[in-house]
Amino acid sequence: MTLFIFIAFTHFIALLSPGPDFFLILTTLLRSGKRAAQMVCLAIAAGNGLILIGVFGGWSLLGKMDASVLHYLSWFGAAYLLYLSVLCFRCAKVDLLPQAQDQECKQSNDSAYKYAMLGLQSSLLNPKNILFYSSLTILVAEKFNVIQKVSISIWMVALVLVWNLFLVQFLAQATWMRLLSRNAKWLYYLSGSCFLLFAVLLISV
């Protein structure tokens, strides 16, 4: 039980530090509205779930994985973060906010798929997610039974989903949206710079 609480607490603390997922949610909220941001949140949680399934289900594979695999994955992740950075810098030069409310009522299957893919890519193309979950789950790989492993996985995925949806609900309030709208240009520049920094850190570690 103590180990379970330690892992749960460590995971929650990690969520408090803004990363690529947070800035993706923020920019999606500004550009495409609340529903689009919620779709990104659902996809990010799904991506975390897939990573946990892979980590718990393939520990023997991960233990024998060639270091070059994570190296190449780091470059793919960095390329994706650079792509997001370019999008943010482009959005900073164009006023897309007036369309956000209209976008709420015009969510098509294609746009839902697009935002779902953005969220999945944000989770799956970040090797640090794999390394983070691997470092936590290695503590319980031999000590927890199947039910306990499923429980801790559900907890971590649920926490990611609830926390991100809370951020969307909080930031989507009228007061915050007005503040974000007034400073949207600089928020896009900030987000783009953070994505760029994350990309550099990813390939330099």
Side-chain angles (χ1 to χ4, degrees):
M1 186 64 181
T2 302
L3 184 57
F4 188 101
I5 295 174
F6 170 77
I7 292 176
F9 180 74
T10 302
H11 182 239
F12 179 70
I13 294 299
L15 283 177
L16 296 179
S17 57
D21 290 349
F22 170 78
F23 289 102
L24 177 61
I25 292 169
L26 177 61
T27 53
T28 301
L29 177 64
L30 287 171
R31 185 173 66 251
S32 305
K34 183 177 176 181
R35 290 184 183 177
Q38 290 172 335
M39 179 59 68
V40 170
C41 292
L42 289 171
I44 287 173
N48 279 256
L50 290 175
I51 291 174
L52 282 166
I53 291 173
V55 169
F56 275 128
W59 255 114
S60 59
L61 175 62
L62 286 174
K64 300 175 183 177
M65 183 179 289
D66 193 304
S68 62
V69 174
L70 285 179
H71 175 72
Y72 291 129
L73 187 57
S74 296
W75 281 96
F76 277 116
Y80 175 66
L81 291 173
L82 287 174
Y83 165 74
L84 292 179
S85 178
V86 171
L87 283 183
C88 288
F89 288 135
R90 288 177 59 185
C91 288
K93 299 179 181 180
V94 181
D95 184 14
L96 295 177
L97 290 174
Q99 301 175 8
Q101 291 184 350
D102 295 336
Q103 200 88 1
E104 293 279 0
C105 302
K106 297 179 181 179
Q107 291 293 318
S108 65
N109 291 332
D110 289 340
S111 61
Y113 173 78
K114 179 182 72 173
Y115 298 124
M117 289 305 298
L118 281 174
L120 279 174
Q121 290 166 358
S122 180
S123 289
L124 299 178
L125 291 182
N126 188 350
K128 288 190 175 181
N129 280 346
I130 298 176
L131 295 176
F132 174 73
Y133 283 121
S134 296
S135 63
L136 283 184
T137 57
I138 195 173
L139 297 174
V140 302
E142 301 296 332
K143 299 178 181 179
F144 280 15
N145 58 38
V146 174
I147 295 177
Q148 290 173 315
K149 290 177 182 178
V150 170
S151 298
I152 193 67
S153 297
I154 291 175
W155 162 261
M156 289 192 284
V157 171
L159 188 60
V160 168
L161 178 60
V162 171
W163 176 254
N164 287 337
L165 288 176
F166 166 75
L167 288 177
V168 171
Q169 189 66 31
F170 179 74
L171 295 174
Q173 296 180 39
T175 301
W176 282 104
M177 283 303 294
R178 284 194 295 269
L179 178 62
L180 293 174
S181 298
R182 287 197 300 267
N183 298 281
K185 176 180 178 180
W186 303 111
L187 286 173
Y188 278 126
Y189 279 127
L190 174 62
S191 298
S193 299
C194 287
F195 282 131
L196 181 60
L197 177 61
F198 292 141
V200 172
L201 291 175
L202 193 56
I203 60 179
S204 62
V205 173

